[in-house]
Amino acid sequence: EFLELWDSLKITGAIGKWHLAAHIPECFTKFTLNFIKGAGQVKGKILETLWSSMDKIAGLVQAMSTAHHQEVLDEYMNDSNWRKII
């Protein structure tokens, strides 16, 4: 009703590279981007890999004020970026 698709449009289901590693081996050949013509080879889920490392401080920032919470998260991410450079 709200979305119009062309009859010629073909949608191919796939699983992003980062998520595919967590699936069972049988999923690889069916859903990998490696075998889909025209699919990009970019790791598009980079934010999820960044957020997973923030689990270390998640419990700490819950009890903080909004401003302090934001400062700590910013500092943590800045430190994470700095460590990637050096």
Side-chain angles (χ1 to χ4, degrees):
E1 178 181 343
F2 298 103
L3 181 64
E4 267 187 55
L5 299 176
W6 300 295
D7 292 333
S8 61
L9 180 66
K10 181 181 176 190
I11 298 175
T12 304
I15 300 173
K17 290 183 174 287
W18 193 68
H19 285 293
L20 192 58
H23 284 248
I24 59 174
E26 291 78 17
C27 286
F28 183 81
T29 55
K30 292 179 186 176
F31 299 108
T32 183
L33 294 168
N34 295 345
F35 304 138
I36 298 175
K37 184 177 179 179
Q41 298 295 314
V42 175
K43 186 176 177 183
K45 297 287 185 175
I46 190 66
L47 284 179
E48 291 182 27
T49 61
L50 295 173
W51 291 338
S52 65
S53 69
M54 294 180 75
D55 286 343
K56 298 172 192 170
I57 62 168
L60 298 172
V61 297
Q62 288 177 351
M64 296 176 182
S65 68
T66 303
H68 191 202
H69 179 118
Q70 187 63 49
E71 286 178 15
V72 170
L73 291 177
D74 285 347
E75 185 61 32
Y76 186 82
M77 291 308 295
N78 287 338
D79 182 64
S80 173
N81 290 335
W82 175 250
R83 289 173 188 263
K84 291 174 194 166
I85 293 172
I86 56 173

